[in-house]
Amino acid sequence: VQLVESGGGSVQAGGSLRLSCTASGGTDGDVTDMGWYRQTSDHECELVASKSRDFRTYYVDSVKGRFRISRDNAKNTIDLQMDQLRSDDTTMYYCAASAKSLRLNSRGYCWGLRLNSGRWGQGTQVTVSS
């Protein structure tokens, strides 16, 4: 599975950004769950949001009410609409796709999450200035 991300960039606090990710080259099973991780420290990451093929949805507490994830199964795409952005949302965001639930690996060392959470994209930077 290849994941191509777009979106991200720089915005002032309170503003909005939209991240998009398209999966290709795999089977429907390879994208059972898709979502976005972000780096929380030099070595750690957390699952920000995910949506499965049957539309089960997860959000980390810090983004509930501000971020919304959507999914198009026909196109194998997910979008993350990020509103009311804060400076602590500043970091790298990575699209991920897995045959199993990403919530099983919602937080930890980035290298470990990459091993256990299917495929990851190259990442896109989000910068929020206060």
Side-chain angles (χ1 to χ4, degrees):
V1 175
Q2 287 77 48
L3 301 174
V4 177
E5 301 145 327
S6 62
S10 298
V11 67
Q12 290 191 325
S16 299
L17 287 171
R18 188 176 185 88
L19 306 181
S20 296
C21 175
T22 300
S24 62
T27 66
D28 287 349
D30 292 330
V31 294
T32 296
D33 205 4
M34 293 183 70
W36 293 91
Y37 286 89
R38 67 183 177 185
Q39 193 162 345
T40 57
S41 69
D42 286 348
H43 304 292
E44 295 181 273
C45 290
E46 68 178 359
L47 180 64
V48 177
S50 66
K51 188 176 283 287
S52 64
R53 286 186 61 83
D54 59 359
F55 302 110
R56 284 173 291 176
T57 305
Y58 166 89
Y59 294 101
V60 70
D61 285 347
S62 60
V63 308
K64 287 180 179 177
R66 300 189 299 122
F67 291 11
R68 186 175 68 86
I69 190 168
S70 58
R71 176 168 180 153
D72 185 330
N73 284 336
K75 298 179 181 179
N76 282 335
T77 60
I78 57 168
D79 292 327
L80 185 66
Q81 178 64 38
M82 304 185 293
D83 298 323
Q84 301 173 49
L85 282 161
R86 311 184 306 216
S87 57
D88 60 356
D89 295 315
T90 295
T91 190
M92 285 291 290
Y93 286 71
Y94 299 90
C95 178
S98 177
K100 58 185 180 182
S101 173
L102 293 175
R103 281 173 282 181
L104 296 175
N105 296 282
S106 63
R107 189 182 303 271
Y109 288 112
C110 299
W111 65 266
L113 295 174
R114 284 176 177 269
L115 283 176
N116 295 308
S117 302
R119 298 300 297 258
W120 284 34
Q122 292 297 309
T124 185
Q125 177 70 35
V126 170
T127 301
V128 184
S129 57
S130 56

